[in-house]
Amino acid sequence: MSNSISEIIKKEKLNKADLSYLLSLEGKERDDFLKQTGNHYINSLGKKVYFRGLVEFSNYCTKDCYYCGIRKGNSSSERYDIDDEAIIDAAKFAHENRYGSLVLQAGERSDKIFTDRVTALLKEIKKATNGELGITISLGEQTEEVYQEWFNAGAHRYLLRIETSNKELYYKIHPKDEQHNFEKRIECLRTLQKVGFQTGTGVMIGLPFQTYDQLADDLLFFKAMNVDMVGMGPFIEHTETPLYKYKDDLWPLQRRFEVALNMIASLRLLMPDINIAAATALQAIDPMGREKALRYGANVIMPNITPTTHRKDYTLYENKPCTDEGAEDCSNCLSIRVEMAGREIGYNQWGDSKHFFNRQIDKQ
Ligand code: SF4
């Protein structure tokens, strides 16, 4: 390993130049960096990996993000909305299979029919699983009142990805209008923290126009926002979206994948006590993508337990893996994969972010 990499890894505080350098690594130097970071991380935080059963319960969305396959403007997307009974059954499946936690995700809606429905669902899921199943939700920008209502109903973690912390780039991948407002996104993250959620965000890696410096800034943004969890993965272009026109200007898929792992390992150095998810998009590029993420810093994995009939329709990007496996197959396959990565599954554990509790102590 080159001197500069081992020196950077040992540093107490990583700056933007350090991070940019780590993100740009290639070849043998990169392999050494990942290996060393992975070993260091497992030695200090242990081998546990936590399961979150993922239910993508609706792909109706009121927004029009330029990268997303289920954006409102994509008229060729087959829309679905799974009924409450099937969602509760999926939650019971997660509970019976000792997943510890559930993630409820859908396209963004903020009408009262939808927000009331989610409140009722959260209460039902808590009841059906004796309050034992932890619940993360990822349902976009909402008012403080709605966040509070969902928190009171039983959700305790919230994932709201910023997608890029660079304002200029944000408006290249979103329409510049009231519905897609950069500052509002940040404000929502602060509101989630104020309400008491373990709060997560994340970015895409390998977007058109994106640079290593901007990605380094994304990592520093996570730190400055004091987030508890991060989910990030490679950008994969979708044919039915406006960003598809830049397909020839992107990093090759393999490079996007490599930089995504560099991001995970660098973030683990920068924020040792947060939860980092091994995103499914990694596996869309490399069949062992999620296992590699677990080796180099990720500690959360999300088996997809959405009923299979609808799984193929929740395509934020194309070639999404595991869209035709039943929940049981998905779970068995993942257990083996986690073990292959030399990690252990924390069955029946919520696997909360240690950072969340550490920041509560810091506040006192
Ligand atoms: S990224 Fe989320 S909010 Fe944006 S269009 Fe897709 S589902 Fe809707």
Side-chain angles (χ1 to χ4, degrees):
M1 174 177 277
S2 86
N3 280 342
S4 49
I5 296 177
S6 15
E7 276 158 26
I8 292 174
I9 288 182
K10 274 191 237 135
K11 275 171 96 169
E12 287 259 316
K13 247 185 169 177
L14 296 175
N15 60 32
K16 182 171 168 180
D18 297 328
L19 293 167
S20 248
Y21 172 71
L22 295 176
L23 297 178
S24 67
L25 287 173
E26 295 178 39
K28 169 141 183 12
E29 285 201 315
R30 173 179 174 273
D31 293 345
D32 287 344
F33 158 60
L34 292 179
K35 213 162 147 196
Q36 176 125 334
T37 305
N39 291 342
H40 167 76
Y41 157 57
I42 288 179
N43 289 339
S44 60
L45 272 191
K47 290 186 169 181
K48 282 275 165 69
V49 169
Y50 302 100
F51 271 8
R52 317 259 188 258
L54 173 65
V55 184
E56 294 162 331
F57 68 88
S58 168
N59 67 356
Y60 283 93
C61 186
T62 53
K63 292 179 105 169
D64 244 337
C65 308
Y66 290 154
Y67 47 84
C68 179
I70 62 168
R71 63 199 295 270
K72 185 179 158 202
N74 180 11
S75 54
S76 56
S77 164
E78 189 89 22
R79 303 290 164 173
Y80 72 87
D81 201 344
I82 297 176
D83 64 44
D84 291 0
E85 207 183 323
I87 299 171
I88 292 161
D89 281 348
K92 285 185 188 158
F93 171 88
H95 185 229
E96 282 155 16
N97 283 274
R98 305 180 296 147
Y99 279 14
S101 290
L102 184 77
V103 180
L104 286 182
Q105 186 164 301
E108 189 170 315
R109 280 177 59 184
S110 48
D111 57 281
K112 191 146 169 46
I113 293 175
F114 179 77
T115 62
D116 282 353
R117 177 188 175 206
V118 171
T119 306
L121 260 173
L122 291 168
K123 289 182 182 164
E124 272 304 311
I125 291 169
K126 278 283 167 192
K127 205 163 103 195
T129 61
N130 308 321
E132 287 164 4
L133 196 65
I135 307 178
T136 305
I137 43 179
S138 180
L139 299 170
E141 294 169 18
Q142 306 289 343
T143 61
E144 181 171 341
E145 291 67 37
V146 168
Y147 285 148
Q148 188 67 59
E149 192 177 300
W150 289 348
F151 185 78
N152 294 346
H156 75 292
R157 293 184 291 241
Y158 204 108
L159 180 67
L160 183 70
R161 284 171 48 148
I162 185 99
E163 307 300 0
T164 170
S165 65
N166 181 289
K167 188 170 169 178
E168 212 177 298
L169 182 56
Y170 189 88
Y171 287 120
K172 285 182 177 159
I173 64 169
H174 297 95
K176 196 167 188 177
D177 61 22
E178 228 172 83
Q179 226 194 350
H180 303 80
N181 184 286
F182 180 73
E183 277 82 18
K184 183 170 180 218
R185 196 92 182 157
I186 295 177
E187 203 41 55
C188 281
L189 284 170
R190 296 216 166 92
T191 306
L192 288 163
Q193 289 175 321
K194 180 176 157 209
V195 166
F197 278 103
Q198 291 176 40
T199 304
T201 190
V203 293
M204 283 185 286
I205 297 148
L207 283 163
F209 321 109
Q210 199 174 37
T211 63
Y212 292 124
D213 274 356
Q214 287 170 345
L215 288 167
D217 278 335
D218 288 340
L219 297 177
L220 293 169
F221 170 83
F222 301 152
K223 176 104 175 159
M225 288 295 292
N226 214 357
V227 295
D228 307 303
M229 340 182 276
V230 169
M232 55 187 174
F235 167 65
I236 300 175
E237 65 275 25
H238 189 298
T239 43
E240 302 290 332
T241 61
L243 283 196
Y244 192 69
K245 63 174 179 271
Y246 300 111
K247 66 179 190 329
D248 297 329
D249 305 326
L250 300 170
W251 289 336
L253 271 178
Q254 186 54 30
R255 185 61 192 153
R256 280 177 252 169
F257 174 79
E258 288 170 7
V259 180
L261 289 190
N262 292 358
M263 282 284 278
I264 288 173
S266 304
L267 179 60
R268 185 50 81 197
L269 292 175
L270 190 69
M271 301 184 77
D273 60 353
I274 64 167
N275 276 353
I276 303 179
T280 312
L282 292 164
Q283 199 189 331
I285 300 180
D286 180 327
M288 296 296 281
R290 287 188 294 184
E291 295 71 7
K292 289 180 183 170
L294 293 178
R295 280 211 178 104
Y296 306 132
N299 66 331
V300 166
I301 195 158
M302 300 192 290
N304 196 334
I305 57 169
T306 306
T308 348
T309 37
H310 295 296
R311 226 185 275 176
K312 65 176 182 355
D313 297 319
Y314 200 87
T315 44
L316 275 61
Y317 53 89
E318 283 172 328
N319 299 325
K320 192 173 166 193
C322 304
T323 50
D324 52 5
E325 287 173 9
E328 215 135 340
D329 299 334
C330 190
S331 156
N332 291 338
C333 154
L334 265 182
S335 320
I336 296 165
R337 285 164 172 269
V338 169
E339 279 157 24
M340 275 162 61
R343 312 294 302 272
E344 288 163 13
I345 301 163
Y347 283 114
N348 273 339
Q349 296 174 40
W350 285 11
D352 284 330
S353 163
K354 289 193 174 65
H355 185 78
F356 175 77
F357 300 104
N358 292 341
R359 76 177 163 89
Q360 309 306 312
I361 295 166
D362 291 345
K363 263 199 249 166
Q364 288 167 7

